[in-house]
Amino acid sequence: MGEGVKPNNIYKLIIAYLLWSKTNYKKFEEFDGIKIADILTKLKKNTVPTKAIEYSIPDWLAETLEKELGPKWEREMLALNEQAPTVLRANSLRTTTKELISDLADEGVVSFLLKIILTLFSWRRKKCFPYNSI
């Protein structure tokens, strides 16, 4: 762990994930030679080898963000790794908002109506010349 993703250590990454997620796995020959005790020790320390891995971004992006944003780049990465809320719109040709909320509730999905005030505007092109002057 800590070497990054390379073809020669992909099985080490797979076994590390299986151990981390406490998934039962079959011992494949590709796992031979991997020091499972070392991986378990690192997992018990609960440390991540690099900031790029911690924030699920490529190494080059972590380096660039750290250079560009300085110490506040980690706060930005925390915000970017949060899941955005899901917003649905009801297709008024097929259902109503209340029916959609009811259908979602039947499926076990908690949903609610958002009151959004849309600002509508119109504009007119300013005419430079009266119609009959051209």
Side-chain angles (χ1 to χ4, degrees), residues 17 28 43 46 51 84 107-108 112 124 133:
Y17 173 77
F28 293 105
L43 289 172
N46 200 23
K51 293 292 183 183
E107 296 291 326
F112 53 91
R124 289 187 181 194
S133 68

Side-chain angles (χ1 to χ4, degrees), residues 50-52 57-70 73 77:
T50 66
K51 293 292 183 183
I57 59 173
D59 291 329
W60 66 266
L61 184 56
E63 292 167 8
T64 303
L65 290 173
E66 192 168 11
K67 260 191 254 168
E68 297 292 327
L69 299 175
W73 83 276
M77 286 311 307

Side-chain angles (χ1 to χ4, degrees), residues 91-111:
N91 181 343
S92 61
L93 298 175
R94 296 181 178 238
T95 188
T96 66
T97 305
K98 289 180 182 177
E99 288 173 352
L100 179 59
I101 290 173
S102 175
D103 292 344
L104 289 169
D106 292 344
E107 296 291 326
V109 177
V110 177
S111 58

Side-chain angles (χ1 to χ4, degrees), residues 13-133:
L13 290 170
I14 291 169
I15 196 76
Y17 173 77
L18 293 171
L19 292 168
W20 172 78
S21 63
K22 298 180 179 153
T23 303
N24 292 328
Y25 62 93
K26 182 180 175 185
K27 182 134 172 87
F28 293 105
E29 64 183 54
E30 288 84 0
F31 296 152
D32 291 344
I34 297 174
K35 297 176 183 173
I36 293 176
D38 290 348
I39 295 172
L40 288 171
T41 302
K42 290 179 181 181
L43 289 172
K44 284 179 186 172
K45 289 181 184 176
N46 200 23
T47 58
V48 181
T50 66
K51 293 292 183 183
I53 292 172
E54 182 176 353
Y55 294 117
S56 302
I57 59 173
D59 291 329
W60 66 266
L61 184 56
E63 292 167 8
T64 303
L65 290 173
E66 192 168 11
K67 260 191 254 168
E68 297 292 327
L69 299 175
K72 63 182 177 182
W73 83 276
E74 290 187 57
R75 183 180 51 175
E76 296 296 327
M77 286 311 307
L78 288 172
L80 289 171
N81 277 324
E82 288 182 18
Q83 184 172 351
T86 302
V87 179
L88 301 176
R89 291 179 56 195
N91 181 343
S92 61
L93 298 175
R94 296 181 178 238
T95 188
T96 66
T97 305
K98 289 180 182 177
E99 288 173 352
L100 179 59
I101 290 173
S102 175
D103 292 344
L104 289 169
D106 292 344
E107 296 291 326
V109 177
V110 177
S111 58
F112 53 91
L113 180 64
L114 291 174
K115 294 282 187 191
I116 300 176
I117 300 171
L118 296 176
T119 304
L120 300 175
F121 64 93
S122 64
W123 61 277
R124 289 187 181 194
R125 175 177 272 198
K126 191 174 184 181
K127 295 182 178 93
C128 297
F129 306 101
Y131 289 116
N132 56 3
S133 68

